[in-house]
Amino acid sequence: DAGVIQSPRHEVTEMGQEVTLRCKPISGHNSLFWYRQTMMRGLELLIYFNNNVPIDDSGMPEDRFSAKMPNASFSTLKIQPSEPRDSAVYFCASSFAVGGQAFFGQGTRLTVV
Amino acid sequence: LAKTTQPISMDSYEGQEVNITCSHNNIATNDYITWYQQFPSQGPRFIIQGYKTKVTNEVASLFIPADRKSSTLSLPRVSLSDTAVYYCLVVPSGGYQKVTFGTGTKLQVIP
């Protein structure tokens, strides 16, 4: 398996634009997580899916952020409208079982100018 | 949820054994202790997980005392490639919800 695949690896966008980050979890994994990492706040858990259902989105910072998982092999994190303070590295991770080892993707480095 | 405390940074010479201790005083009965490693520009990578006593794999050992209020990650004979940030997490048996990574320990291996 190629591991967790995220796209794009880098994204530069202007303030106010919509940004969509994509994630393909490892096949067979039933839990998916979106994290955000910044120097100031470290790694923050944004939202967590189990069997494609959002379980906890309390880490999503604002209504500008939304995440979907239409099927077991794909998830998106959307920011609309984007703001400079959203600049960060966004990681997607998946695990086989709740509480099991999480495998992280390479991340998407988002820069909002 | 159990909060973890670990040193912000550590330096070590190549070939030395490195021990990173993590405190988790309010760990719950069903919580597991998990360590991740993160290199620059990469996502965290799972190293080891344990519940009590000692766990060893090809990368590291994890020592957990009987009271489980702390744990120690031991890296034998570190090399320059072990320079990374090491995170200690307390993971509920029910999953990763609301688990925070904290600031981690930045390990710098010196030639």
Side-chain angles (χ1 to χ4, degrees):
Chain A
D1 199 312
V4 175
I5 299 173
Q6 292 186 245
S7 64
R9 288 294 310 278
H10 302 272
E11 175 82 31
V12 180
T13 190
E14 291 185 347
M15 183 174 64
Q17 296 295 308
E18 177 181 294
V19 175
T20 299
L21 311 182
R22 297 173 176 78
C23 175
K24 178 178 172 19
I26 293 173
S27 177
H29 283 189
N30 58 7
S31 296
L32 183 139
F33 313 87
W34 282 99
Y35 285 86
R36 177 173 69 175
Q37 186 170 36
T38 61
M39 289 292 292
M40 291 295 293
R41 301 175 69 92
L43 265 165
E44 304 172 273
L45 177 62
L46 302 177
I47 188 169
Y48 152 61
F49 293 85
N50 192 36
N51 293 323
N52 312 337
V53 176
I55 303 299
D56 187 342
D57 64 355
S58 61
M60 297 285 263
E62 301 171 32
D63 291 345
R64 297 183 297 106
F65 285 70
S66 62
K68 294 182 180 179
M69 192 163 186
N71 57 60
S73 58
F74 184 65
S75 177
T76 60
L77 178 67
K78 184 178 294 186
I79 308 172
Q80 166 62 19
S82 58
E83 296 182 3
R85 60 190 166 128
D86 302 330
S87 298
V89 180
Y90 290 81
F91 288 104
C92 175
S94 69
S95 69
F96 173 66
V98 172
Q101 173 184 345
F103 293 80
F104 282 75
Q106 291 284 72
T108 295
R109 181 174 294 278
L110 173 64
T111 303
V112 183
V113 298
Chain B
L1 291 166
K3 180 182 176 181
T4 59
T5 303
Q6 52 185 123
I8 293 175
S9 63
M10 295 180 70
D11 292 338
S12 176
Y13 289 102
E14 273 191 296
Q16 299 278 330
E17 177 184 79
V18 171
N19 295 308
I20 306 174
T21 298
C22 178
S23 297
H24 26 79
N25 290 319
N26 58 339
I27 189 169
T29 303
N30 294 329
D31 290 343
Y32 285 78
I33 298 148
T34 307
W35 286 79
Y36 282 79
Q37 173 191 57
Q38 186 178 25
F39 297 114
S41 302
Q42 294 187 25
R45 182 178 74 114
F46 173 90
I47 301 176
I48 197 166
Q49 184 179 66
Y51 183 79
K52 61 181 180 181
T53 62
K54 177 183 175 182
V55 179
T56 297
N57 61 23
E58 65 279 4
V59 176
S61 294
L62 179 59
F63 298 91
I64 306 167
D67 66 6
R68 304 200 329 121
K69 293 184 183 300
S70 67
S71 59
T72 299
L73 176 73
S74 181
L75 304 172
R77 298 179 297 283
V78 294
S79 63
L80 295 176
S81 62
D82 292 317
T83 294
V85 178
Y86 293 82
Y87 296 95
C88 167
L89 281 72
V90 172
V91 180
S93 60
Y96 281 81
Q97 52 270 47
K98 300 191 194 301
V99 170
T100 57
F101 269 71
T103 55
T105 298
K106 187 172 184 178
L107 172 66
Q108 181 69 51
V109 180
I110 307 164

